[in-house]
Amino acid sequence: MNSMTRVLSMSNVNKKWDRLRAYIFVLFASSMLFACQSSQSVAPAFDESISLNNKNDVVVLLHGMFRDERAMRPVERYLDELGYTTVNVSYPSTKFEIETLAKNYLHPELQKLKLKQGQKFHFVAHSMGGILVRYYLKDYSLEQVGRVVMIAPPNKGTPLADLLNDVTWVKPDYNPAKMQISVQEDSWVNQLGPVNFELGVIAGNNNKNWVTSLLLPGDDDGVVSVENTKIDNMKDFVTVPDKHYKLRANELVHQQVAHFLKYGQFYK
């Protein structure tokens, strides 16, 4: 190799390293940018003098995908302390379509409720659990239904549900509910239409993962974008600066849930 060839070869290597360093810098800068953006929102301090107690009503709790009833225990304990009677429903979220989950797991639990005169039951659901509630209240006629709070629901779907859909080694019948919450306009969840009940939606907007931030448009919680939690006819909406899976244990979320259940609006 002559001296000119050696110089050209080294020049090409240096260019590749420069591109690689630039790429790493962009990834790092993007990660830091999203981290800074997600931490800017500050939730209002809750007024502890507001009474949230309710010793009359029942609250039905629903977890999200890949979870069971243990995921909703922080919410359950909080509402129990306020005097609510809670029913924490568990269902096999990855085994069946949402229609089957609602019919075979949610419906039997609701049939067990023995409500007194003047007593209401409410729903508090996290993530996909909120979509079960939407479907159930759309297709089943119920009396004594109170209010519904959805925590980080994919009401307009999530792009993460579309990942791996075309990969051959993923069984086509695995997790059919995931396919139903696709972000595509013609997806199952996007055909449910507006809600016909008193609904409050809590969205998270703290995601420091640059990979999912690139996949999710606008502010997001790492799984669902803030915009995609919203739905026509919802009564109130609030954001809390936390991640998708942490919202269930967030004290401010608990307070906002209880405030909406009692007063029909979030504390702002």
Side-chain angles (χ1 to χ4, degrees):
M1 180 182 295
N2 58 40
S3 59
M4 181 60 73
T5 303
R6 189 178 298 108
V7 170
L8 291 175
S9 178
M10 289 301 296
S11 176
N12 289 335
V13 170
N14 289 335
K15 287 181 180 179
K16 290 180 180 179
W17 274 109
D18 287 341
R19 286 196 296 268
L20 179 59
R21 283 194 293 267
Y23 179 68
I24 293 174
F25 174 79
V26 170
L27 293 182
F28 176 77
S30 298
S31 177
M32 293 302 293
L33 175 62
F34 285 119
C36 292
Q37 288 177 339
S38 61
S39 62
Q40 288 176 355
S41 176
V42 179
F46 199 85
D47 185 349
E48 300 291 343
S49 67
I50 298 175
S51 173
L52 300 176
N53 295 331
N54 185 324
K55 297 182 179 181
N56 184 59
D57 292 348
V58 177
V59 179
V60 178
L61 304 168
L62 283 159
H63 61 83
M65 188 174 287
F66 302 116
R67 305 289 178 178
D68 58 28
E69 77 282 356
R70 290 173 294 180
M72 296 300 286
R73 282 179 183 166
V75 184
E76 180 182 14
R77 286 192 292 267
Y78 182 81
L79 294 176
D80 283 344
E81 291 176 358
L82 294 178
Y84 285 98
T85 299
T86 55
V87 178
N88 196 348
V89 179
S90 191
Y91 61 94
S93 62
T94 62
K95 290 187 177 181
F96 304 104
E97 294 180 336
I98 290 172
E99 301 96 312
T100 300
L101 294 172
K103 178 181 178 181
N104 293 349
Y105 295 90
L106 176 56
H107 183 67
E109 292 297 328
L110 296 180
Q111 293 297 299
K112 296 177 185 177
L113 296 179
K114 305 298 181 182
L115 299 180
K116 301 175 183 177
Q117 184 71 26
Q119 192 176 29
K120 293 183 178 180
F121 71 94
H122 313 277
F123 289 96
V124 176
H126 178 252
S127 196
M128 193 186 82
I131 310 305
L132 262 74
V133 175
R134 272 183 69 190
Y135 169 75
Y136 189 86
L137 293 181
K138 180 182 177 70
D139 275 44
Y140 290 81
S141 177
L142 296 173
E143 297 181 357
Q144 296 175 273
V145 177
R147 297 178 174 125
V148 178
V149 178
M150 296 182 184
I151 306 169
N155 275 320
K156 297 176 184 173
T158 171
L160 302 189
D162 295 298
L163 296 178
L164 304 179
N165 282 349
D166 298 325
V167 178
T168 56
W169 48 266
V170 175
K171 295 180 180 180
D173 59 344
Y174 172 72
N175 200 355
K178 179 176 80 75
M179 300 294 296
Q180 294 180 292
I181 56 172
S182 163
V183 76
Q184 301 301 319
E185 289 186 8
D186 61 349
S187 70
W188 183 88
V189 71
N190 282 318
Q191 308 307 311
L192 281 179
V195 297
N196 58 355
F197 48 85
E198 199 170 351
L199 171 65
V201 173
I202 301 175
N205 63 350
N206 184 5
N207 180 17
K208 297 180 181 180
N209 184 324
W210 63 267
V211 176
T212 53
S213 286
L214 290 173
L215 294 172
L216 298 165
D219 290 338
D220 65 89
D221 64 5
V223 176
V224 185
S225 69
V226 170
E227 188 61 32
N228 280 13
T229 65
K230 300 175 182 178
I231 191 65
D232 291 342
N233 288 355
M234 64 180 179
K235 185 176 181 182
D236 205 354
F237 176 84
V238 70
T239 59
V240 174
D242 214 339
K243 297 178 181 179
H244 188 82
Y245 70 95
K246 287 188 174 182
L247 289 166
R248 304 184 306 264
N250 186 296
E251 182 181 6
L252 179 57
V253 170
H254 297 167
Q255 293 168 329
Q256 292 286 19
V257 165
H259 195 277
F260 186 88
L261 293 181
K262 186 166 185 176
Y263 298 107
Q265 62 184 21
F266 292 121
Y267 175 80
K268 297 177 183 178

